[in-house]
Amino acid sequence: QFTNVCVKRCGFCAFSRTVAPREGSDGAAKDEGYFLPTEEIVRRAKEAADLGATEICVQAGLPPAMHPNLYEEIAGAIKSAVPDLHLHAFSPEEVLYAARTSKRTVTEMLRALRAA
């Protein structure tokens, strides 16, 4: 999970957070959202491969104001750094969100992710 920030408020999800800070038990503002930089995602993928993983799962929330090529950049960076690691990535909801964000069809998005 490279982020828990999500625009969708699924009733079953206890994982996602908004970017808005919440008040902690001490009364101070507490930001519960996180977003890992691509370098950290790649570092974790390399670490998994070094420990013997042959596949990793990359999924997350639907980040607001997402860069249109974010998922492609993440997939490409992982494939470049650890080419033998099988990448099981992005839920159907994430693919749909990425397609809409980048103004592409789902088919175009899937092709772009495969090519990354």
Side-chain angles (χ1 to χ4, degrees):
Q1 302 289 359
F2 60 87
T3 185
N4 66 345
V5 178
C6 188
V7 298
K8 195 160 185 159
R9 303 303 296 168
C10 299
F12 62 85
C13 183
F15 177 72
S16 75
R17 299 293 181 262
T18 61
V19 290
R22 300 177 188 265
E23 188 174 300
S25 58
D26 61 358
K30 177 183 174 190
D31 186 1
E32 295 181 333
Y34 69 85
F35 198 101
L36 298 177
T38 302
E39 297 79 21
E40 177 60 15
I41 298 167
V42 169
R43 186 198 68 75
R44 291 180 183 197
K46 285 180 181 177
E47 179 180 40
D50 290 345
L51 292 170
T54 58
E55 174 179 286
I56 59 167
C57 182
V58 178
Q59 291 186 315
L62 310 176
M66 182 177 94
H67 183 279
N69 299 323
L70 175 67
Y71 293 165
E72 291 166 80
E73 290 170 5
I74 291 171
I78 292 170
K79 288 179 182 181
S80 209
V82 233
D84 294 331
L85 192 63
H86 178 75
L87 186 56
H88 179 101
F90 313 116
S91 69
E93 187 73 30
E94 288 171 295
V95 173
L96 179 61
Y97 184 67
R100 287 180 177 160
T101 301
S102 64
K103 296 179 172 57
R104 291 184 265 189
T105 66
V106 170
T107 301
E108 291 169 332
M109 188 73 237
L110 288 170
R111 285 185 180 138
L113 288 168
R114 276 199 133 202

